[in-house]
Amino acid sequence: MSKVNTSKNNAFLIDMTKCTGCRGCQVACKQWNQLAAEKTEFFSGEGYQNPPAMSEYTFTRIKFRDYQKNGQNEFAFYKEMCMHCNDPACASVCPVGAFKKTAEGPVIYKADRCIGCRFCMIACPFGVPKYEWSKGLPLVKKCTGCYSRVLEGMKPACATACPTAITYGRRDEMIKLAEERLAKHPNKYIHKVYGKEEAGGTSVIYLTSLPFNELGFKPVTLRPLPDYTWQALRMVPAAFLAVGGGLSALSWITHRRDRLKHEKAAEQVDNPAEEKED
Amino acid sequence: MTAAKFVVNEVKGYHGFVKFLILLVVIAALASMVRFVFGLGATTNMNDTYPWGLWISFDVVTAVPLAAGAFTLGAIVHCFHIKKLEPLVRPAIVTGFLGYSLVCVGLLLDLGQPQRGWHVMRYWNLHSPMFEVSMCVMAYTTVLFLEFLSPVAERFGWNLSLRVLRWLEMPLVILAAAISTLHQSSLGTFFLIAVDKLHSLWYNPLLPLLFWVSAICSGMCIIIIEATSCHKWMGQPNEGVLLRTLAKILPWTLGLYIALRAYSLLALSVGPFFDRPVLTLLFVVELVIGFILPFFMFTQKSVREDDRRRVIAASLVVFGLVLNRFNVSMFGMMNPDQIYYPSIVESLVTIGIIAGHILFFVLIAKYFPIFEHHPETVDYTIPGRIRKSDNGAEPVSEQS
Ligand code: SF4
Ligand code: SF4
Ligand code: SF4
């Protein structure tokens, strides 16, 4: 996979201890991307979150978690969105290369290429790409990383709207910032920068005070996912040549043996039995 | 008008079963139109959690290995030079050609933007197993079509093309085997990206190799089943003696598969393995009934030589293969609190595709000489002449 110059790779640092659950990001994202409203019911999914899942109409969403702290009920929040992986699984599996990790950070989707096979949805370890199930000729939808804004030097809509928790900037700086916060408040945070290494590193980085699995984070491998398929796919030319060449050689040998047998038989025409053996 | 009348009269003369198949195909065609009018969401049970359903699991991931008979047999007959199996080659090629054509149909129905299918050829992505499978399936369908042209040319007495095709036979067989190796295994590569999604009973880095070896096994078993049922229901000659030879190869390939499976599970997979009883059951049924039992059956001479028991063993392997592909592409990927099952439209389309396969096979066998082809009756002088002029070298041996 083409490596992105990480010094220009921008990232979201989302500090969930600072998130108030206002869902300003969710609204800003809908507005900026002109996404239709969804008809939902409160408590249709798990807990207070609404809508129940990301979809073709919802690129980002705040998940709510109830938990007990010192005998008191508390809320924890988690902003769900595309992780803009450094080496994205969605891009590696797409047969037409519709996804691309840009040098600026966002993983973008070229809708005019997509054939709608949904392999990206199988591949994404975070379950991000969604499909236009209601359409006869559907396409894929996902968070754009507000690429058009970033190109213009603006921050993504959700990061701009967020009053407290989201910082946006160069990925290396965001990681440094996250690690500084961890060092400064060791008791406040779970000691982990989620996204630093997950799935080979992502451009969305989380800090939290609750264990990540309790927030509904999926366990993901640290190895970039495209490696898993590439270790098999890189053998393709060799396999092709080995099978093709092997069989060619084999048939040359067997045919030659056959021919020699025939020639021998032709010399002594009075021996018609050779067809029978094998 | 007369042509239409002729067709109507022909169809009227068909067996009731064939008419029933035609009905199923028509229903499937209607159902697939419904899919385009109302969208995938309304007509299938696929959703954002299960983006791939029955159509990928059966029409692509399972149908491709079931059509593997053509390349396996081609290689056995022409490369390993077990010439006496030749009479089985043509039916296998017809099955393969039909199988792959229907895979293309199934894939086009499943795509969101079927009219852009050709984009695969324009925007290459060498890192995508899907890219590789699409290219191979297109190439291989062409190869099978060329191979299939032989009986067509024979039927219409086109001698020149018959000569060309005869000359092309060897290169096509080798090309077919090489291309098949790639895409049969790449279907397994599909699921290598589903780390943490596919259950550890099936997820391991050897998936591509396992897919390839099991495709070879099932390809041979399909030939056994096909030849036996053609003998039983279509009045074709009994090829029992040939199938016996084929059955002798099977314990080796099945044994290799079981060994690889055991190795990949014990040495290359990371648990937990037996945390979900349903999956454990599916795994045990697949491996024991679908592979280990027929392995032992095929090692028995009495099974190999008995038409009925041989076909039972072959059916078990096919059952094992189908279950394996469903386990990998569907059951093993499911999470217990949200279950996918196919909708009516999905099922009707898949049933129609299976019916279409049988239907077209019966019709082709009716109108083209695919069973009459016994090598003793064919004049093989043309390859002989080429051999003379080429001084013994096979036209493709440069590849090695
Ligand atoms: S989170 Fe998923 S959709 Fe987003 S870049 Fe990574 S693999 Fe692609
Ligand atoms: S659905 Fe579209 S974007 Fe996703 S893998 Fe298929 S072609 Fe690529
Ligand atoms: S980056 Fe843009 S598209 Fe993505 S969640 Fe934020 S506002 Fe929405």
Side-chain angles (χ1 to χ4, degrees):
Chain A
M1 292 262 88
S2 60
K3 279 276 169 293
V4 167
N5 177 358
T6 31
S7 69
K8 267 172 43 187
N9 183 357
N10 293 295
F12 297 76
L13 171 58
I14 305 180
D15 189 333
M16 261 125 29
T17 61
K18 297 188 176 178
C19 174
T20 58
C22 73
R23 294 192 283 203
C25 53
Q26 219 172 293
V27 175
C29 177
K30 281 235 175 200
Q31 280 180 341
W32 178 256
N33 292 295
Q34 304 269 299
L35 299 173
E38 272 186 271
K39 202 167 174 170
T40 59
E41 275 165 46
F42 213 40
F43 285 112
S44 58
E46 329 146 42
Y48 288 95
Q49 58 218 21
N50 196 21
M54 289 195 292
S55 71
E56 53 180 299
Y57 310 110
T58 306
F59 296 168
T60 187
R61 151 187 102 107
I62 295 292
K63 281 176 125 181
F64 284 59
R65 275 280 174 281
D66 291 302
Y67 71 104
Q68 297 251 324
K69 190 178 167 191
N70 307 332
Q72 287 210 310
N73 285 339
E74 295 270 354
F75 270 136
F77 311 108
Y78 155 37
K79 179 183 192 286
E80 200 181 28
M81 64 187 289
C82 172
M83 300 290 286
H84 299 284
C85 312
N86 287 342
D87 196 353
C90 58
S92 88
V93 297
C94 176
V96 292
F99 285 104
K100 186 170 164 257
K101 172 78 176 175
T102 60
E104 294 80 8
V107 173
I108 56 164
Y109 167 67
K110 300 171 193 154
D112 55 333
R113 282 194 184 190
C114 174
I115 58 173
C117 67
R118 305 188 290 286
F119 202 173
C120 48
M121 304 172 68
I122 295 280
C124 172
F126 304 101
V128 168
K130 303 292 177 193
Y131 208 52
E132 298 175 314
W133 292 104
S134 51
K135 297 200 175 154
L137 298 176
L139 287 167
V140 169
K141 292 274 186 172
K142 80 161 189 72
C143 155
T144 62
C146 285
Y147 186 54
S148 56
R149 290 175 63 101
V150 172
L151 277 185
E152 296 296 322
M154 285 188 285
K155 287 182 180 172
C158 55
T160 312
C162 178
T164 45
I166 307 180
T167 327
Y168 190 81
R170 276 175 46 177
R171 184 168 185 269
D172 44 359
E173 284 172 9
M174 293 301 113
I175 289 177
K176 219 168 88 197
L177 187 60
E179 278 165 353
E180 276 167 20
R181 286 189 199 166
L182 285 189
K184 226 190 221 162
H185 308 282
N187 298 326
K188 188 168 158 202
Y189 294 103
I190 299 280
H191 197 84
K192 176 162 183 65
V193 182
Y194 189 97
K196 188 179 170 194
E197 287 171 326
E198 272 67 21
T202 63
S203 284
V204 178
I205 292 159
Y206 291 100
L207 289 178
T208 159
S209 57
L210 262 198
F212 282 93
N213 55 0
E214 277 178 42
L215 283 169
F217 277 75
K218 301 196 173 85
V220 289
T221 152
L222 300 188
R223 188 166 157 204
L225 276 95
D227 277 9
Y228 288 88
T229 43
W230 186 240
Q231 65 179 3
L233 278 174
R234 71 195 161 88
M235 317 254 248
V236 159
F240 186 81
L241 291 180
V243 172
L247 287 180
S248 303
L250 184 66
S251 36
W252 187 78
I253 294 169
T254 50
H255 279 235
R256 191 181 127 89
R257 202 172 55 198
D258 217 40
R259 196 185 75 237
L260 292 180
K261 211 157 70 180
H262 274 278
E263 275 166 13
K264 215 191 247 165
E267 278 166 20
Q268 20 175 296
V269 203
D270 52 337
N271 180 12
E274 44 84 32
E275 286 283 2
K276 292 273 156 59
E277 39 178 287
D278 186 45
Chain B
M1 190 60 217
T2 39
K5 223 184 243 164
F6 174 75
V7 171
V8 171
N9 280 339
E10 276 288 301
V11 173
K12 266 191 194 150
Y14 288 161
H15 191 275
F17 180 63
V18 176
K19 287 184 188 154
F20 177 62
L21 290 177
I22 296 180
L23 177 73
L24 289 180
V25 173
V26 171
I27 293 177
L30 293 176
S32 49
M33 274 189 256
V34 171
R35 166 253 176 272
F36 282 108
V37 176
F38 295 99
L40 281 167
T43 50
T44 72
N45 281 352
M46 290 185 275
N47 53 37
D48 283 330
T49 317
Y50 297 114
W52 282 355
L54 180 67
W55 290 347
I56 292 286
S57 290
F58 187 83
D59 305 359
V60 179
V61 177
T62 309
V64 168
L66 288 184
F71 96 85
T72 316
L73 197 63
I76 293 176
V77 170
H78 292 283
C79 303
F80 290 84
H81 220 58
I82 309 184
K83 272 281 178 219
K84 62 178 171 183
L85 292 182
E86 166 111 37
L88 299 175
V89 169
R90 274 209 180 161
I93 284 177
V94 174
T95 322
F97 174 58
L98 282 176
Y100 274 84
S101 308
L102 292 170
V103 165
C104 294
V105 171
L107 200 56
L108 284 179
L109 283 179
D110 187 76
L111 288 186
Q113 307 276 341
Q115 79 287 4
R116 292 186 184 167
W118 59 274
H119 277 196
V120 177
M121 284 182 277
R122 180 162 157 210
Y123 307 108
W124 291 32
N125 180 5
L126 297 177
H127 287 259
S128 165
M130 180 76 104
F131 166 77
E132 206 209 309
V133 168
S134 328
M135 292 298 258
C136 283
V137 165
M138 281 189 261
Y140 189 46
T141 312
T142 315
V143 170
L144 280 169
F145 178 71
L146 290 176
E147 292 184 318
F148 171 64
L149 276 181
S150 285
V152 176
E154 238 166 67
R155 165 83 167 74
F156 295 109
W158 301 331
N159 284 320
L160 182 70
S161 49
L162 199 57
R163 281 180 182 208
V164 176
L165 290 170
R166 190 74 56 70
W167 183 78
L168 273 175
E169 194 170 39
M170 275 311 296
L172 284 184
V173 163
I174 292 173
L175 193 63
I179 298 179
S180 295
T181 303
L182 296 195
H183 68 260
Q184 294 287 0
S185 56
S186 288
L187 281 173
T189 314
F190 272 27
F191 299 96
L192 286 185
I193 200 90
V195 215
D196 306 321
K197 285 187 186 170
L198 178 56
H199 194 269
S200 344
L201 283 172
W202 292 280
Y203 188 93
N204 66 69
L206 281 193
L207 261 186
L209 185 61
L210 290 170
F211 265 49
W212 183 60
V213 178
S214 54
I216 291 176
C217 298
S218 81
M220 284 190 273
C221 289
I222 285 281
I223 292 169
I224 292 180
I225 296 174
E226 191 179 87
T228 314
S229 35
C230 287
H231 168 57
K232 191 157 178 210
W233 288 301
M234 292 174 66
Q236 298 301 332
N238 187 354
E239 310 281 22
V241 188
L242 306 183
L243 300 182
R244 214 177 283 170
T245 313
L246 209 52
K248 254 192 219 157
I249 308 174
L250 270 162
W252 296 97
T253 54
L254 281 172
L256 174 67
Y257 180 75
I258 295 166
L260 282 172
R261 203 58 197 275
Y263 169 71
S264 64
L265 200 67
L266 296 176
L268 301 175
S269 308
V270 262
F273 294 117
F274 303 113
D275 54 335
R276 286 171 55 189
V278 180
L279 293 187
T280 309
L281 182 70
L282 285 170
F283 174 80
V284 170
V285 169
E286 174 206 320
L287 204 59
V288 173
I289 300 185
F291 293 100
I292 297 177
L293 178 62
F295 166 74
F296 283 114
M297 288 176 79
F298 277 123
T299 54
Q300 303 300 312
K301 198 163 181 212
S302 58
V303 173
R304 292 200 302 266
E305 309 216 325
D306 181 85
D307 283 353
R308 216 174 64 87
R309 275 190 270 173
R310 182 175 54 225
V311 85
I312 291 176
S315 311
L316 286 180
V317 174
V318 170
F319 165 79
L321 179 110
V322 173
L323 185 56
N324 173 259
R325 297 306 193 257
F326 272 85
N327 279 339
V328 171
S329 67
M330 190 186 278
F331 305 138
M333 303 261 270
M334 258 184 223
N335 80 43
D337 19 271
Q338 199 185 343
I339 298 296
Y340 161 89
Y341 54 92
S343 73
I344 303 222
V345 172
E346 283 175 277
S347 315
L348 286 177
V349 168
T350 296
I351 291 171
I353 284 181
I354 301 171
H357 191 129
I358 303 173
L359 173 68
F360 290 123
F361 185 83
V362 171
L363 292 184
I364 290 173
K366 194 170 153 72
Y367 295 107
F368 295 97
I370 65 165
F371 285 109
E372 290 80 1
H373 182 71
H374 276 249
E376 313 88 67
T377 65
V378 180
D379 174 17
Y380 272 99
T381 50
I382 298 161
R385 215 184 298 154
I386 285 162
R387 206 181 288 149
K388 236 174 255 163
S389 62
D390 276 356
N391 212 9
E394 284 300 323
V396 279
S397 53
E398 300 94 82
Q399 259 196 24
S400 47

